[in-house]
Amino acid sequence: MIRLYNDLIIQTVCRIMIPLIQLFAFYVIAHGHYSPGGGFQGGCILGASFILMLIAYDINWIKRRFSENKNVILIALGVFIYALVGLLCIFLGKEYLNYSAFQKLIPIDIARVRALGTLIIEIGVGITVMAVMVSIFLNLITFGKHEKGEV
Amino acid sequence: MIWIMEILILTILLICALAAIHVKDLLSSAILLGAYSFLMCILWAEMGAVDVAFTEAAVGAGISTAFFIGAIYQTTRRTKD
């Protein structure tokens, strides 16, 4: 069903485009609390760059880097970052996800502390969304068999 | 001047939505849904909801079109009904 299809034009264009797409995705994640964008949109763009790599290159080569175990670890890591920041706020004496509690650890302006907390949350959301999108696409194009290694 | 553009976008949006339902080729239907999503993104941005427009462009026009094409490869390309 899925066969290797080498096309020089598609592979060259993808080699140029994929780093630019990933750079834009990191910009969207890191700048999400000042401008439109954020963790979900940036994670979607980052996942789209890996999906483009999956379409343009050999799927078996990509699968060695994106095995199901690594995807599940990345999904859980993003949720873990989110929950850890939220619970840290509780341990510091404020509500869940009230970032102004970090002022006890980092003594700077309260608006800057809130922006820092939002940035950490959005990095976690971006990691989870990226891994979920790549995992959905891999399971979709390989009949859900890709963790057994029989594409 | 802005309402002329709005009516133009809404007309093309309606044409894309009706064509995506009525076309027989499933790959054309997926591409038409991507075009519908992108026009919807322009409409959100024109109404001032830039964050919603960003999400629509990233998810609707980008990721879900790739998912539809990946799903079409597992089935037949032409519809029976």
Side-chain angles (χ1 to χ4, degrees):
Chain A
M1 192 88 199
I2 296 158
R3 60 195 180 278
L4 184 57
Y5 181 73
N6 277 317
D7 193 307
L8 183 68
I9 295 172
I10 291 176
Q11 290 191 350
T12 310
V13 170
C14 286
R15 197 175 299 152
I16 298 167
M17 283 300 289
I18 285 169
L20 295 176
I21 295 172
Q22 289 178 346
L23 200 64
F24 180 64
F26 286 132
Y27 165 75
V28 170
I29 292 177
H31 215 256
H33 47 284
Y34 293 121
S35 62
F40 185 74
Q41 289 94 328
C44 274
I45 296 169
L46 198 60
S49 77
F50 289 117
I51 287 173
L52 184 62
M53 204 190 292
L54 272 167
I55 291 172
Y57 290 93
D58 184 11
I59 185 170
N60 289 310
W61 180 71
I62 310 285
K63 260 174 46 195
R64 256 175 277 149
R65 300 191 177 257
F66 273 105
S67 63
E68 187 72 21
N69 293 334
K70 283 180 193 166
N71 262 331
V72 171
I73 287 171
L74 280 177
I75 292 168
L77 179 73
V79 180
F80 177 72
I81 290 172
Y82 195 105
L84 190 73
V85 172
L87 288 176
L88 206 60
C89 294
I90 290 183
F91 288 135
L92 289 172
K94 292 278 179 68
E95 295 90 357
Y96 189 74
L97 291 179
N98 190 348
Y99 311 120
S100 57
F102 288 131
Q103 218 173 11
K104 290 176 184 169
L105 296 181
I106 314 159
I108 47 175
D109 191 27
I110 191 159
R112 287 177 186 275
V113 170
R114 283 185 197 274
L116 193 68
T118 315
L119 178 65
I120 300 170
I121 289 290
E122 279 177 354
I123 287 171
V125 174
I127 290 172
T128 300
V129 171
M130 183 269 289
V132 167
M133 291 301 168
V134 175
S135 180
I136 289 174
F137 192 75
L138 268 175
N139 280 313
L140 202 60
I141 62 172
T142 60
F143 280 105
K145 282 180 197 153
H146 91 98
E147 69 264 31
K148 295 172 198 157
E150 40 178 274
V151 177
Chain B
M1 204 59 202
I2 200 86
W3 63 272
I4 298 174
M5 190 179 138
E6 213 169 312
I7 286 175
L8 193 69
I9 291 172
L10 279 171
T11 311
I12 307 172
L13 190 80
L14 208 61
I15 292 170
C16 275
L18 287 174
I21 296 172
H22 285 291
V23 80
K24 291 290 178 194
D25 193 356
L26 282 177
L27 192 62
S28 309
S29 187
I31 301 297
L32 278 168
L33 271 180
Y36 166 85
S37 210
F38 188 69
L39 288 167
M40 203 71 211
C41 160
I42 297 174
L43 207 59
W44 289 124
E46 190 265 329
M47 283 191 277
V50 188
D51 215 348
V52 185
F54 207 115
T55 312
E56 184 77 37
V59 180
I63 293 276
S64 72
T65 307
F67 283 175
F68 279 136
I69 291 171
I72 287 165
Y73 269 105
Q74 310 295 342
T75 174
T76 55
R77 195 170 152 184
R78 299 190 67 82
T79 51
K80 300 290 192 296
D81 49 346

